[in-house]
Amino acid sequence: MTKLSLLTDQLHAAAPQTELLTSSGDLKRFAVDGVKPQVVALPGVVDDVAALLKIASERHLAVLPVGGCTELELGQPPERYDLAICTVRLNALLEHEAADLTCSVQAGMPLAALQQYLTAKGQFLALDPPNAERATIGGILAANASGPQRLRYGAARDLVIGLRVALGDGTIARSGGKVVKNVAGYDLNKLYIGSLGTLGIIVEANFKLIPRPERQETLLVSFENAPAAMETVIALLSSVVTPTAIELLDPAAQRHLSEQAIKMLPAGALALWEGPAHLLAISFSGGAQAVARQLADTRTTATRHAGSPGDHLEDAAHDAFWAAVRAQQIGPVVCKVSLLINELAPFLAHAQTICQEQQLEASAIAHAGSGVIYLQLRPPDATDRLAVVISQLRAQALKSKGSLVITHAPTALKAQINVWGEARPDLRLMETLKQKFDPHHTLVKGRFVGGL
């Protein structure tokens, strides 16, 4: 009997409701930066997740939690990777308290499936990362993924009210609860969110929900340059209007929006695509009268700052446009830059200058009201030049009291530049937390900040 057979027999015995995959094609599908696991486990119940982790801890196996495989590129290559625990079969809606605006779901449920159920009930979960059809709830929380609507509703840490987590030794832990007003104490939910599965495997999550708005509409406004657009953003954020999202698209990003999305634009909005302008997309949601009033106020504000408003988007055109915008957060080489809002325009100008010097193409979308830029760089195989440009951009971001993380990159580029940047002064504290939560290092090391 081979070592692999012994391992799968042991896993089967301990976790009988788990499917095990060992074919070459399956292992390749779950590879991270070219590193493949020996086995992929798909548990059907939470107890099996705990049993798999307990065996992995005893056998000193390195475990990687996986959801819909949409964020496998995030992070550095793993030091070791023996067992993938994929949560996609843990996909049940456990509870929905419509009157309390809360729900409880298993971690493997895709976001789109949850939104489809909630839409029928007149509610929604205010998370809008890309790849909603495949991205699972657990994966979104582990990666702290978000989208343009974070301006109004916040990110995952603002919406989760409780978690159930399988720790590295197989212990099941709970944090938070099922109501918005929880007991006092450390907010461990925030610790697990964004930890990339290094502290435990999220198996269930409780959320607060939002009533689905009567109307959602978006106004598109073109500007000659990014500084003029950002003056409008600052003016809007200082006014009484409450946008759901404000997205800035540079001319290159507009060229990369999907043809399908552009075809659905009304004529007055499509005309904005014909020049080398920066585009601001400002979305509002709520009652019909409130949305109409805020759109009118925004037109006035934008015009005062030299903007040229086009038609507003609604219904299918609205949804197609924002789906295309979210897709721009993904690409072969993408940097996520977090800055103060008044630093966005100078940073974008600096990025274009140094990319031209290195003969690279850059396209940018920005959650302009939140200070987050997603910068795509091309071509992805220009490894040396990409490393030079990203180093310079990271230095500029740090100089502006911001940060730069590479969210998507080929393995060759990760060998030249760390996706997270230099270790921060609080790394020692994070190492201590990792040791407490996962003392046997069962959950894969190497991918997260500082090699955690």
Side-chain angles (χ1 to χ4, degrees), residues 53 56-58 61-64 168-169 434 438-444:
L53 284 169
S57 177
E58 293 169 352
L61 301 176
V63 175
L64 181 70
D169 64 356
K434 170 70 176 176
D438 183 26
H440 303 296
H441 301 291
T442 304
L443 298 160
V444 291

Side-chain angles (χ1 to χ4, degrees), residues 81-325:
Y81 178 18
D82 302 307
L83 174 64
I85 296 183
C86 179
T87 60
V88 294
R89 292 181 63 217
L90 301 171
N91 56 9
L93 174 65
L94 301 173
E95 199 173 324
H96 176 214
E97 293 291 344
D100 292 335
L101 289 169
T102 62
C103 74
S104 177
V105 297
Q106 289 188 312
M109 175 175 257
L111 175 61
L114 176 59
Q115 299 288 32
Q116 184 177 12
Y117 169 85
L118 293 173
T119 295
K121 306 296 181 182
Q123 299 178 355
F124 73 108
L125 174 61
L127 286 173
D128 62 336
N131 277 326
E133 296 292 333
R134 289 174 50 212
T136 60
I137 292 298
I140 291 168
L141 298 182
N144 195 19
S146 63
Q149 291 186 18
R150 63 178 292 168
L151 172 65
R152 178 163 179 179
Y153 301 111
R157 290 190 174 101
D158 303 295
L159 300 168
V160 169
I161 54 178
L163 291 175
R164 193 176 179 204
V165 179
L167 303 181
D169 64 356
T171 304
I172 299 292
R174 291 183 182 275
S175 59
K178 293 186 177 179
V179 296
V180 176
K181 292 181 180 179
N182 279 314
V183 296
Y186 295 118
D187 191 345
L188 294 179
N189 295 334
K190 290 184 168 60
L191 187 60
Y192 293 121
I193 295 170
S195 64
L196 209 59
T198 56
L199 301 179
I201 300 179
I202 296 171
V203 291
E204 293 174 10
N206 308 327
F207 293 100
K208 59 181 177 182
L209 305 174
I210 307 292
R212 184 158 288 277
E214 179 185 352
R215 296 291 302 166
Q216 294 183 78
E217 298 186 32
T218 293
L219 178 66
L220 301 181
V221 186
S222 67
F223 294 85
E224 287 191 2
N225 50 54
M230 289 308 300
E231 286 180 9
T232 300
V233 173
I234 293 171
L236 290 173
L237 294 178
S238 304
S239 71
V240 296
V241 301
T242 54
T244 306
I246 305 178
E247 204 75 4
L248 176 66
L249 292 82
D250 74 1
Q254 295 170 51
R255 289 194 294 273
H256 286 285
L257 281 189
S258 71
E259 290 185 8
Q260 183 180 2
I262 293 175
K263 284 179 181 176
M264 295 186 70
L265 295 176
L270 189 59
L272 301 180
W273 253 258
E274 296 176 354
H278 282 70
L279 190 73
L280 209 57
I282 308 134
S283 173
F284 292 97
S285 56
Q289 288 187 350
V291 169
R293 185 180 65 251
Q294 293 189 90
L295 286 169
D297 290 349
T298 300
R299 280 180 177 276
T300 301
T301 302
T303 303
R304 192 184 308 134
H305 290 85
S308 299
D311 288 348
H312 59 259
L313 311 180
E314 54 188 352
D315 302 326
H318 174 280
D319 295 344
F321 173 80
W322 284 104
V325 168

